[in-house]
Amino acid sequence: MNLNVDLHSHRTQLIATALAASAVTAGLFSAYQQHVKRQKRRTLDQDILRSLSGPGAGKRPRNGDDDDDEVHEVKLGAGNDSGRIPIEYDEELVREQLARNYTFFGEEGMAKIRKGTVVVIGCGGVGSWAAVMLARSGVAKIRLVDFDQVTLSSLNRHATATLQDVGTPKVKCIERVLKQISRVVEVDARIDIWRKESGGDLLEGADWVIDAIDNITTKVDLLKYCHEHNIKVFSSMGAGAKCDPTRIQISDISFTMYDPLARSVRRRLRLAGVSSGIPVVYSTEVPGEVKLLPLPEEEFQKGNVKELGVFDDFRVRILPVLGPLPAIFGLNIATFILCELAGKPIQNPLPVKGRKKFNERLSRDLQKREEKFLGHQINKLPLDDDDLGLIFDDLYRGRSARPPHPVPERPALVRWDPSEPLSLMNCVAFEFADAEKHLKECLLEKKRPEDVWGGEVVEVVRRRREEARRVIEWVM
């Protein structure tokens, strides 16, 4: 095959000229696109610098009018056109900023997210992190509701607060940062407290409501209100006095366990006629030695410390909080809501209640031993399945009380002291054969546990009983 090319032929020269012209044209077109993009970014940088230099400094004059300082109030859920993208930050830049989200959710999903409206009630450690990630992910309208101000102690967990923000409203602090993150987000910052009497005003237009309230009465009122008015709401349970991120999970309120705030909220909601249908983020971790942060002596001299709050029922004495935990709670909430808005909900969140069958078997075996010990049938144990799971998983770490403390092949629980009622403090984990031995010799034949098991087992049980006592004080 002859591949010789005549470089002097007229045809060859025409082809070469066409190729060169095409290359030059493509290069010029690419250079022009890069120039336009650089110009847009330069303009954006200037706008950001102006916005950071002071209040109102970031406003751009329109039609040559430098005195046009008109401010339009943002109304979430209203039919205004305030959601239009500013001229200096067009759709191309928006899509570049949200490129990873577009890749994940697709065009349809991101279109839904960018039309979404989320109301955050409570803008502390949990709510602030949720708000930041919603803004970073393209949510169009965010309303922030909180009456509180930033304090020095807020800085260990708040998503946006700095030293300069101490003494300023939390919602304003978050609003400033959200507008620095996204030029298209509409932020409605309300220095207010949610009340059931006028709750509808603050929730108007919401696709989702985030409950990050500390006060249990207000929290239950908000959840009940949203449930009754078919407003989607996601609630944060207690992040205080916790440190194990592996215990954090999302579930329905009806599936929560071990969390004292969740337990109290669940019971109050059930009394109000709401038993399920509210997703929550919570931790199954049982706190160890938990103490309230101390109050100065002069505060006690003023009277009942429970009456010293800014509002009724808002606690003055607070639990210690490890900063990353409320952040993780907030990120869980933001992730869940983003997936819901995009139409790609998280399917079957993995609950700890995956051990439900295991706990039920522990319960059946324990009930049989109790009936043998008591000499008659019983309808129900004084401990529920969650309690038994707490005993085996948390108090006894999934191991037998008998040295060398192996993981039992067939775990079993049994009453420890025959003179005391069955309770969290008076129930011990053994291998099945050891539990049967304890029933026979210690419960029925009345032998002393130390004589049957030795001092080491007795000491282990003593320590676990003390842990159970602290759990009862904290959880119950």
Side-chain angles (χ1 to χ4, degrees):
M1 182 177 177
N2 186 6
L3 297 178
N4 292 330
V5 178
D6 185 0
L7 299 178
H8 299 287
S9 70
H10 181 66
R11 180 184 178 84
T12 302
Q13 290 177 351
L14 286 176
I15 293 174
T17 301
L19 290 174
S22 298
V24 171
T25 302
L28 290 173
F29 184 72
S30 176
Y32 175 75
Q33 285 186 320
Q34 293 297 323
H35 170 74
V36 171
K37 187 173 290 188
R38 283 196 298 269
Q39 187 64 33
K40 290 178 179 178
R41 286 176 173 166
R42 189 178 299 113
T43 302
L44 176 61
D45 289 341
Q46 292 170 354
D47 285 343
I48 292 174
L49 288 175
R50 281 197 297 270
S51 69
L52 293 176
S53 64
K59 296 172 184 172
R60 289 172 59 88
R62 298 179 181 177
N63 301 324
D65 184 1
D66 293 337
D67 298 324
D68 184 9
D69 289 333
E70 181 182 2
V71 177
H72 298 279
E73 181 183 2
V74 175
K75 295 184 178 180
L76 300 188
N80 60 31
D81 59 354
S82 59
R84 290 180 299 177
I85 299 173
I87 298 175
E88 68 273 14
Y89 200 83
D90 65 11
E91 180 66 15
E92 182 183 357
L93 290 178
V94 174
R95 285 176 170 272
E96 182 177 341
Q97 182 171 343
L98 299 173
R100 271 67 172 180
N101 297 66
Y102 268 99
T103 303
F104 187 87
F105 288 119
E107 288 286 340
E108 185 179 349
M110 281 304 298
K112 295 176 180 177
I113 287 176
R114 290 180 60 183
K115 293 177 182 177
T117 299
V118 179
V119 178
V120 183
I121 310 291
C123 295
V126 175
S128 62
W129 282 97
V132 165
M133 289 314 302
L134 291 173
R136 288 190 184 278
S137 301
V139 173
K141 301 175 184 179
I142 300 175
R143 176 175 292 138
L144 307 169
V145 182
D146 200 313
F147 68 90
D148 207 0
Q149 296 181 337
V150 176
T151 64
L152 275 174
S153 65
S154 304
L155 302 186
N156 86 314
R157 60 194 180 279
H158 201 274
T160 64
T162 67
L163 285 169
Q164 292 181 333
D165 296 310
V166 173
T168 65
K170 291 180 179 179
V171 294
K172 292 296 182 181
C173 162
I174 300 174
E175 178 186 25
R176 185 194 71 247
V177 173
L178 296 192
K179 290 182 177 180
Q180 291 172 359
I181 292 171
S182 171
R183 298 304 302 275
V184 298
V185 66
E186 297 179 17
V187 183
D188 183 11
R190 303 288 189 93
I191 307 172
D192 203 348
I193 182 173
W194 189 88
R195 298 176 176 85
K196 62 181 179 181
E197 295 81 11
S198 57
D201 296 339
L202 293 176
L203 306 183
E204 182 181 359
D207 295 308
W208 273 91
V209 174
I210 295 175
D211 159 38
I213 304 173
D214 287 335
N215 172 255
I216 187 170
T217 302
T218 308
K219 178 182 286 287
V220 171
D221 286 342
L222 173 62
L223 297 178
K224 182 174 182 289
Y225 183 95
C226 289
H227 189 271
E228 290 178 345
H229 291 80
N230 295 317
I231 301 173
K232 294 179 180 179
V233 60
F234 192 111
S235 183
S236 173
M237 296 293 110
K242 309 286 180 73
C243 67
D244 186 354
T246 67
R247 293 298 193 98
I248 298 172
Q249 67 167 332
I250 292 172
S251 77
D252 188 88
I253 183 68
S254 61
F255 292 155
T256 55
M257 61 180 76
Y258 307 159
D259 184 318
L261 178 59
R263 175 174 294 205
S264 184
V265 169
R266 188 175 67 240
R267 288 175 174 173
R268 294 192 188 197
L269 284 175
R270 189 178 294 121
L271 291 174
V274 181
S275 58
S276 63
I278 298 175
V280 303
V281 59
Y282 78 109
S283 171
T284 63
E285 178 183 358
V286 177
E289 195 71 31
V290 178
K291 295 181 179 178
L292 293 172
L293 295 183
L295 276 177
E297 180 60 32
E298 55 265 25
E299 294 297 329
F300 286 95
Q301 294 175 0
K302 295 178 183 179
N304 185 354
V305 294
K306 293 183 179 179
E307 299 174 354
L308 301 180
V310 180
F311 295 96
D312 291 342
D313 297 329
F314 277 83
R315 59 181 182 238
V316 173
R317 305 186 67 191
I318 56 177
L319 292 168
V321 179
L322 187 62
L325 269 292
I328 298 173
F329 273 51
L331 299 181
N332 270 268
I333 296 173
T335 303
F336 185 93
I337 289 178
L338 287 170
C339 291
E340 289 284 333
L341 287 174
K344 294 185 177 180
I346 299 172
Q347 298 294 336
N348 302 319
L350 179 65
V352 166
K353 286 224 168 182
R355 293 178 65 85
K356 183 178 180 180
K357 291 184 178 179
F358 173 77
N359 293 345
E360 288 175 348
R361 184 171 62 78
L362 286 178
S363 179
R364 287 194 301 270
D365 289 347
L366 178 58
Q367 182 166 334
K368 291 177 182 178
R369 292 187 192 91
E370 283 293 292
E371 289 174 347
K372 290 179 181 178
F373 169 64
L374 298 172
H376 59 81
Q377 287 189 340
I378 55 178
N379 294 325
K380 186 178 180 181
L381 291 171
L383 301 173
D384 61 25
D385 294 349
D386 293 345
D387 294 328
L388 300 184
L390 185 149
I391 293 170
F392 184 77
D393 292 327
D394 291 272
L395 297 181
Y396 283 88
R397 284 70 165 171
R399 295 179 176 273
S400 170
R402 182 181 183 183
H405 312 294
V407 175
E409 293 184 6
R410 186 179 176 185
L413 300 176
V414 65
R415 182 193 298 235
W416 175 251
D417 187 340
S419 65
E420 297 180 11
L422 181 67
S423 66
L424 287 177
M425 295 179 60
N426 194 35
C427 191
V428 62
F430 277 127
E431 178 64 68
F432 183 86
D434 291 334
E436 293 295 300
K437 177 180 179 180
H438 186 83
L439 168 66
K440 179 177 181 295
E441 298 187 21
C442 296
L443 300 186
L444 297 177
E445 297 178 2
K446 307 300 184 184
K447 294 182 180 178
R448 300 190 332 152
E450 52 265 40
D451 295 335
V452 175
W453 301 113
E456 186 175 353
V457 172
V458 172
E459 176 59 22
V460 168
V461 174
R462 185 196 67 78
R463 293 198 303 268
R464 300 295 180 261
R465 285 166 65 93
E466 177 59 23
E467 287 183 34
R469 181 190 63 78
R470 293 198 299 267
V471 169
I472 292 171
E473 292 179 354
W474 167 248
V475 177
M476 306 302 177

